[in-house]
Amino acid sequence: MAFDYDKYIRPGKLPHIWCPGCGHGIVMKGLIRAIDALGFEKNNTAIVSGIGCASRLPGYMDCCTLHTAHGRAAAFATGVKMAKPEMNVICVGGDGDGTAIGGNHFIHACRRNINITYIIMNNKIYGMTGGQFSPATPTGAKASTTPYGNPDPPFDIAKLAIGAGATFVARGTAYHATQIDKLIVEAIQHKGFSVVEILDDCPTTYGRRNKYKSVIEMMNELKDIAVPVKAAEKMTPEQLKGKVLTGVLYKEEKPEYTAEYAKVIERAKGAAK
Amino acid sequence: MAKKVAFMQGNEAAAHGALYAGCKFFAGYPITPSTEVAEVMSAELPKVGGKFIQMEDEIGAMSAVIGAALTGAKALTSTSGPGLSLKQEIIGYGCITEVPCVIVNVMRGGPSTGMPTGPSQSDVMCAKWGTHGDHPAICLVPASVQELFEETIRAFNLAEKYRTPVMIMPDEIVGHMRERIVFPEPGEIEVINRTTPSVSPEQYKPYDTKFGDVPPLAAFGSDYRFHVTGLNKMEDGFPTTKASIVQAEEERQVRKVEANADDIIKYEEYMLDDAEVVVVAFGSTSRSARFAVNEARKQGIKAGLFRLITFWPFPEKQILALSKKVKAFITPEMNLGMCTEVVKGCVAGNAPVHGIFRVDGEPINPDQIVDKMKEVK
Ligand SMILES: Cc1ncc(C[n+]2csc(CCOP(=O)(O)OP(=O)(O)O)c2C)c(N)n1
Ligand code: SF4
């Protein structure tokens, strides 16, 4: 039997705003399958986003949903999780939202290792505002604000997350759709701050400007550049040039923030006696 | 039983007021001259099972406060000038999404880094006009340690009652002075909690005007689930651009405070019955003003004081009524005329308004006010 996505879609809130060929919808379906696989109760699940095309995702989901301000998802989510640690808290958003304006909140959520899963839909561009370059736009690429090619070097978002202290970091692509839910499930099951970067596409503002002939070409590129971490172990640096690693890139057990704060409460109550 | 009495700093009293009101969450970022609020909360909140978090900046702190408030917690942040500027986008978010929370802003000199340890009263306009767009504004301006404690409780009550962020703005002098404080017993001062839904989860809409201008607010993680967005929204919380709905919702958001101004506005009248020269003042400046009024009376000047305790909504009606029977107003303030401008707007030309402005980091002393009284009487 086909998977019933409607179970988690808010009645009456479709159609979505995404363009034909946009990768964000593929990620949402992956997230829905993951939530279903985990058996999460909708009332106990908060989905928090910032602003952008990717950040419109929560509105379609039949959970506790919080569409915040540009870049602030991790900070709002931190408030939700601290106040109600028993809730499942998931952040979603774009590369610009999460790593430009929201970069500070993102790295500090990584550092605290608070039990939140952050899904970044990386289409390498500011889609919603018409295609300005983001911190994930490759050097040389065309954006509406880089008419002569992008002079900025991009972030490697997964490495940024690892460097900042996230204890679970995975990467997938919108082409490898059936892997997305598995990565999200593993990320959510991990106790601590987990980051899942999904490389996807924005045909409307990135594809057109950068001479992609079709969405299919953009999807094929995602297929071609992705190398699973296991396979990469057997490849030479030469062979890995221009490729990106996919799968679980990093995993480490470390004290989780809300659990540590529970100990603070114990100590404070002990001291008060 | 004798009441608990202490000798306490203003900022500490604000924190204890928040705890009395049932605050269970604090997020902040250190900044002089407000940091003691955070320090007390970090020590006291975990004792009552509450949560304290020091965030990476003030934007993050304001965001975490709203996230926590949406789970049903009473939430607080504290800051000063530069931090208040950073919080503004998210304060606006709290206004449009109608999430109760309290911001303590201890006023120091500005703009920018200004005078971190110097007193000021120059953030009162920021309380109303700091964030973009039309929105409700409630701002309280206490003048003593006891009042800072009690007004912090009232700030929470107003936030919960009207489902909106509320600011309380002691100036640095009030925040840092130490005075005697008498703690009320639990239950002695009323504590208001937000109205939660009475309808079933299926029927619940977070902005259901069937319940009046302040619709009930459910909590994340309860039996209710709903959507929250900073976009203009409909009754069910989802975004809309429909002109009639946007207009009506924007008007309701402002009206819920403006129409209840009488409930929110608090002030003190001192020697106003026969006053010819009236000082309108707030915060520590109002203490100098009271002294000045007493001095002036000794010298035969019929002086009085109208002390603002609520700055926003401003007591327009009261000032207008006064303007019809007095000869002049004097408005001393530690800024370059913010309150003065508002008072001028209220008096509608009925009486002259003479400002005394100080932005040099020194308080306005009573002599300055008495001199002005002699000049204008
Ligand atoms: C404070 C603030 N600055 C700028 C904007 C304008 N803005 C809205 S979405 C966006 C970029 C979104 O890009 P990204 O996060 O990569 O998501 P995408 O739209 O590509 O999915 C920008 C710059 C805003 N809403 N708020
Ligand atoms: S503009 Fe780009 S990111 Fe936004 S919906 Fe369209 S394709 Fe997706």
Side-chain angles (χ1 to χ4, degrees):
Chain A
M1 209 182 80
F3 185 87
D4 179 20
Y5 290 97
D6 287 347
K7 210 164 113 188
Y8 296 92
I9 295 285
R10 249 181 190 122
K13 294 304 166 194
L14 290 178
H16 56 68
I17 63 153
W18 297 316
C19 309
C22 175
H24 295 343
I26 299 171
V27 181
M28 181 163 81
K29 288 175 85 175
L31 174 62
I32 290 175
R33 291 194 304 276
I35 289 177
D36 185 63
L38 291 159
F40 278 178
E41 230 187 279
K42 296 181 201 174
N43 282 346
N44 201 39
T45 304
I47 305 182
V48 186
S49 69
I51 297 290
C53 298
S55 290
R56 283 303 193 92
L57 188 154
Y60 310 121
M61 298 280 297
D62 193 13
C63 295
C64 301
T65 51
L66 185 51
H67 179 223
T68 73
H70 194 25
R72 315 302 168 201
F76 276 82
T78 297
V80 172
K81 186 72 186 176
M82 275 295 274
K84 264 203 184 147
E86 63 275 22
M87 282 191 88
N88 313 307
V89 182
I90 300 163
C91 289
V92 296
D95 45 297
D97 186 70
T99 68
I101 193 165
N104 201 27
H105 309 308
F106 180 71
I107 58 173
H108 286 276
C110 291
R111 172 180 64 80
R112 286 186 197 104
N113 198 34
I114 187 164
N115 197 13
I116 293 171
T117 296
Y118 198 125
I119 301 167
I120 293 202
M121 287 162 252
N122 181 1
N123 58 10
K124 304 189 282 193
I125 200 79
Y126 289 166
M128 176 150 271
T129 41
Q132 300 75 36
F133 74 97
S134 89
T137 304
T139 307
K142 289 272 171 64
S144 79
T145 47
T146 58
Y148 309 108
N150 182 22
D152 282 34
F155 266 142
D156 178 327
I157 295 174
K159 275 192 190 156
L160 174 70
I162 296 167
T167 50
F168 180 99
V169 179
R171 189 191 281 131
T173 86
Y175 177 85
H176 304 88
T178 55
Q179 189 195 22
I180 294 174
D181 44 322
K182 299 187 181 70
L183 293 176
I184 296 174
V185 165
E186 214 181 316
I188 292 176
Q189 281 171 338
H190 174 80
K191 211 165 161 16
F193 195 75
S194 50
V195 177
V196 182
E197 179 192 13
I198 305 294
L199 305 177
D200 65 356
D201 64 314
C202 172
T204 307
T205 78
Y206 188 83
R208 275 190 305 143
R209 263 194 201 90
N210 288 284
K211 308 276 183 274
Y212 290 88
K213 290 193 193 69
S214 65
V215 174
I216 297 170
E217 193 184 327
M218 298 186 87
M219 283 290 160
N220 276 334
E221 184 183 87
L222 292 175
K223 178 178 80 171
D224 293 341
I225 61 170
V227 177
V229 267
K230 269 264 168 307
E233 282 168 14
K234 298 184 206 97
M235 288 166 71
T236 64
E238 265 311 290
Q239 289 170 313
L240 282 171
K241 238 180 153 187
K243 305 284 184 193
V244 288
L245 301 191
T246 57
V248 178
L249 308 181
Y250 188 78
K251 196 175 159 119
E252 179 192 359
E253 299 301 324
K254 256 198 197 164
E256 189 276 324
Y257 194 75
T258 60
E260 288 305 296
Y261 199 83
K263 292 181 199 162
V264 169
I265 292 177
E266 294 279 294
R267 291 200 290 273
K269 284 184 172 167
K273 265 175 209 152
Chain B
M1 203 178 81
K3 283 205 182 146
K4 206 178 139 210
V5 176
F7 187 61
M8 186 174 267
Q9 187 205 55
N11 285 346
E12 293 169 3
H16 285 283
L19 292 161
Y20 187 98
C23 175
K24 284 282 152 50
F25 185 88
F26 180 98
Y29 189 84
I31 184 164
T32 304
S34 72
T35 305
E36 295 86 358
V37 181
E39 287 170 344
V40 173
M41 293 311 269
S42 73
E44 297 302 321
L45 269 178
K47 288 185 196 164
V48 294
K51 315 285 168 64
F52 168 92
I53 187 165
Q54 184 170 307
M55 292 296 285
E56 49 277 5
D57 60 28
E58 287 86 350
I59 312 173
M62 197 63 229
S63 302
V65 157
I66 295 192
L70 277 167
T71 71
K74 288 189 182 176
L76 175 74
T77 187
S78 63
T79 193
S80 294
L84 183 66
S85 291
L86 284 180
K87 285 180 194 295
Q88 289 294 353
E89 189 198 0
I90 311 302
I91 291 171
Y93 184 89
C95 292
I96 194 170
T97 56
E98 303 181 62
V99 177
C101 58
V102 174
I103 300 122
V104 179
N105 177 69
V106 187
M107 290 187 278
R108 68 188 230 183
S112 189
T113 309
M115 209 186 294
T117 54
S120 167
Q121 297 180 309
S122 58
D123 295 346
V124 286
M125 283 297 167
C126 209
K128 189 169 170 72
W129 307 115
T131 193
H132 61 281
D134 291 299
H135 57 90
I138 301 178
C139 176
L140 314 178
V141 282
S144 69
V145 172
Q146 183 80 39
E147 194 167 73
L148 182 44
F149 174 88
E150 288 171 12
E151 285 298 286
T152 305
I153 302 169
R154 194 165 78 94
F156 272 97
N157 285 348
L158 293 171
E160 296 283 318
K161 188 169 178 184
Y162 295 109
R163 240 189 105 167
T164 192
V166 171
M167 299 201 203
I168 176 159
M169 292 199 176
D171 55 70
E172 183 274 342
I173 296 174
V174 175
H176 275 164
M177 68 165 73
R178 287 183 181 274
E179 284 185 319
R180 182 175 188 269
I181 175 170
V182 183
F183 288 103
E185 299 293 334
E188 193 178 326
I189 296 183
E190 187 192 19
V191 167
I192 297 174
N193 298 315
R194 68 194 71 170
T195 309
T196 49
S198 51
V199 297
S200 70
E202 293 72 36
Q203 291 171 315
Y204 178 63
K205 294 189 200 124
Y207 307 98
D208 198 342
T209 48
K210 193 162 73 221
F211 298 95
D213 281 348
V214 189
L217 177 60
F220 277 2
S222 69
D223 291 339
Y224 296 78
R225 58 176 183 273
F226 54 102
H227 185 59
V228 179
T229 178
L231 289 161
N232 282 108
K233 81 280 176 184
M234 311 179 272
E235 282 197 331
D236 65 1
F238 287 87
T240 184
T241 50
K242 195 166 173 215
S244 58
I245 300 179
V246 173
Q247 176 90 17
E249 276 289 279
E250 285 261 325
E251 285 177 359
R252 177 181 63 75
Q253 273 156 224
V254 173
R255 183 176 64 231
K256 70 178 180 181
V257 167
E258 297 297 324
N260 290 295
D262 287 344
D263 180 45
I264 302 166
I265 290 172
K266 205 169 145 184
Y267 53 88
E268 182 197 350
E269 295 174 308
Y270 182 67
M271 300 210 173
L272 283 185
D273 285 347
D274 62 341
E276 291 174 350
V277 182
V278 172
V279 186
V280 180
F282 59 101
S284 64
T285 307
S286 69
R287 299 169 72 119
S288 294
R290 187 187 309 271
F291 196 94
V293 166
N294 292 340
E295 273 307 301
R297 287 269 170 183
K298 280 182 215 157
Q299 298 177 31
I301 302 171
K302 287 186 176 163
L305 167 67
F306 186 95
R307 181 169 78 85
L308 304 166
I309 303 172
T310 305
F311 198 97
W312 301 115
F314 201 81
E316 295 166 8
K317 268 193 324 206
Q318 291 80 355
I319 299 290
L320 176 64
L322 266 179
S323 72
K324 291 175 183 158
K325 46 184 215 187
V326 306
K327 284 193 185 147
F329 288 96
I330 295 176
T331 46
E333 50 187 330
M334 287 186 281
N335 62 56
L336 293 178
M338 294 181 180
C339 180
T340 305
E341 279 307 309
V342 184
V343 172
K344 276 184 187 165
C346 297
V347 304
N350 290 331
V353 181
H354 304 276
I356 303 172
F357 310 140
R358 247 189 133 148
V359 288
D360 59 354
E362 293 296 325
I364 291 176
N365 60 49
D367 288 351
Q368 276 182 283
I369 303 173
V370 175
D371 288 349
K372 187 63 104 183
M373 286 170 175
K374 288 181 187 155
E375 197 184 305
V376 307
K377 77 168 166 52

